[in-house]
């Protein structure tokens, strides 16, 4: 018998421990200490009230984390992590847990649900498709430790204004997008660059900088770099943003997270 129990009925220490145990042997190391688990829960808008521990015959077997947001009049759900403990894997528990979670989404009146999966995790992707998910795009993770300062054309015709990540939300062409972690609510500590052409907003980038305990810049992660629809100079606008974002900083780790593969011009510039 498979049952689900809301995570807010468990001590947060037990929830954090369950997360780490359920993701043992995963494709990427996503284990984290308690303070980081709590910070991620808050930063990503995850709700322990609407997330669950899975029990198989009264023994804890897995975990599923959910976040809810309202976007353009729709109620959106995001699966922030689903995993089964090693001793329960291969028994179909993941599929039952996901199916029950979808039933819960329906009960809550959700309009659409998103998740991301590592492409090599074909078993999980198959389970997600079985319960109704469809692949809509590939997301790319790119990084480099040494910037290629090649000979790029001058983009001095544009002006760049720096600010908070939330500043981009006021742009007339800003859309929340399907990538949860690239939405402004997940980037409250993030920053933005808005590119202007003759006083009109033409594009933007949203990013996050990380520092060590001494205040030294460790890395800059790009989450979005987009152009106002209809522009014929989109590549130059994105290049302006990227040069401003990375070109003027000292050498540090530069990353681009969850960039949609269909954004071919941006992917080409990043590569």
């Amino acid at each position: 018998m498979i049952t689900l129990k809301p995570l807010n009925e468990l001590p947060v220490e037990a929830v954090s421990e369950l997360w780490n145990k359920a993701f043992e042997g995963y494709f990427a190391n996503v284990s984290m200490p308690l303070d980081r688990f709590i910070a991620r829960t808050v930063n990503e808008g995850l709700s322990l009230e609407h997330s669950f521990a899975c029990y198989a015959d009264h023994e804890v077997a897995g975990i599923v984390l959910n976040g809810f947001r309202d976007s353009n009049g729709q109620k959106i759900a995001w699966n922030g992590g689903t995993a089964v403990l090693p001793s329960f894997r291969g028994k179909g528990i993941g599929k039952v847990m996901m199916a029950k979670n979808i039933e819960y989404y329906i009960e809550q009146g959700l309009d659409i649900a998103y998740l991301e999966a590592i492409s090599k995790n074909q078993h999980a992707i198959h389970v997600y498709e079985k319960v109704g998910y469809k692949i809509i795009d590939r997301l790319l993770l790119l990084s480099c430790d040494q910037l290629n300062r090649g000979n790029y054309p001058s983009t001095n015709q544009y002006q760049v204004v720096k600010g908070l990540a939330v500043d981009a939300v006021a742009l007339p062409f800003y859309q929340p997008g399907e990538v949860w972690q690239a939405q402004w609510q997940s980037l409250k500590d993030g920053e933005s660059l808005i590119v202007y052409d003759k006083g009109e907003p033409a594009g933007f980038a949203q990013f996050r900088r990380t520092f060590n305990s001494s205040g030294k810049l460790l890395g800059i992660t790009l989450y979005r770099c987009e152009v106002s629809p209809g522009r014929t100079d989109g590549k130059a606008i994105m290049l302006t943003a990227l040069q401003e974002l990375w070109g003027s900083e000292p050498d540090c780790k530069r990353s681009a997270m969850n960039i949609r593969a269909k954004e071919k011009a941006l992917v080409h510039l990043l590569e």
Side-chain angles (χ1 to χ4, degrees):
M1 181 177 65
I2 304 296
T3 57
L4 300 182
K5 182 176 184 177
L7 291 180
N8 67 333
E9 296 181 11
L10 301 176
V12 68
E13 296 87 353
V15 176
S16 176
E17 183 180 357
L18 172 57
W19 170 274
N20 289 333
K21 287 182 176 180
F23 277 98
E24 285 181 6
Y26 189 57
F27 290 88
N29 181 12
V30 296
S31 65
M32 60 190 82
L34 177 61
D35 57 346
R36 279 185 55 206
F37 180 82
I38 294 173
R40 178 179 184 264
T41 300
V42 173
N43 293 340
E44 298 294 358
L46 296 168
S47 170
L48 298 186
E49 179 184 1
H50 300 296
S51 302
F52 303 98
C54 172
Y55 291 82
D57 295 328
H58 308 291
E59 193 173 350
V60 65
I63 188 172
V64 54
L65 288 180
N66 290 315
F68 293 165
R69 284 176 184 162
D70 292 321
S71 177
N72 290 339
Q74 288 187 313
K75 197 171 183 181
I76 308 298
W78 180 62
N79 185 317
T82 296
V84 176
L85 271 69
S87 58
F88 287 92
R89 291 172 189 166
K91 300 179 180 180
I93 290 175
K95 182 178 178 180
V96 175
M97 185 165 59
M98 285 299 301
K100 285 181 175 290
N101 198 49
I102 293 294
E103 291 176 4
Y104 181 74
Y105 285 171
I106 295 171
E107 291 172 3
Q108 296 298 308
L110 274 295
D111 295 297
I112 192 166
Y114 293 107
L115 58 74
E116 298 89 40
I118 293 177
S119 57
K120 290 190 291 187
N121 195 355
Q122 288 297 314
H123 174 73
I125 292 172
H126 179 70
V127 170
Y128 300 148
E129 290 178 323
K130 281 286 189 181
V131 299
Y133 284 93
K134 295 180 180 179
I135 296 174
I136 59 172
D137 204 354
R138 292 188 305 120
L139 299 178
L140 307 179
L141 306 177
L142 305 164
S143 67
C144 72
D145 295 312
Q146 184 70 41
L147 188 68
N148 176 14
R149 302 178 187 273
N151 294 319
Y152 296 106
S154 172
T155 56
N156 293 333
Q157 72 184 84
Y158 305 106
Q159 303 79 46
V160 177
V161 175
K162 296 182 179 181
L164 302 175
V166 70
D167 293 341
V169 179
L171 296 173
F173 53 89
Y174 177 87
Q175 294 293 328
E178 295 94 344
V179 183
W180 185 275
Q181 292 166 298
Q183 295 174 357
W184 74 266
Q185 296 97 324
S186 292
L187 296 172
K188 290 186 176 69
D189 60 341
E191 302 173 73
S192 68
L193 297 170
I194 300 178
V195 181
Y196 289 87
D197 181 19
K198 300 181 178 64
E200 294 294 322
F204 72 91
Q206 289 173 309
F207 62 96
R208 181 183 280 129
R209 293 186 294 169
T210 55
F211 302 85
N212 66 11
S213 58
S214 301
K216 178 183 177 181
L217 179 66
L218 296 178
I220 307 171
T221 301
L222 175 72
Y223 289 85
R224 297 179 71 169
C225 186
E226 300 180 13
V227 174
S228 176
R231 304 275 318 195
T232 59
D233 54 348
K235 183 176 180 180
I237 293 169
M238 288 188 289
L239 182 58
T240 297
L242 295 178
Q243 287 178 327
E244 184 69 28
L245 175 63
W246 283 328
S248 61
E249 296 287 357
D251 284 331
C252 63
K253 188 174 184 64
R254 292 162 168 84
S255 305
M257 180 176 178
N258 286 350
I259 302 301
R260 298 191 65 159
K262 73 176 184 181
E263 298 175 357
K264 296 184 184 300
L266 174 59
V267 172
H268 175 73
L269 284 174
L270 291 171
E271 289 176 339

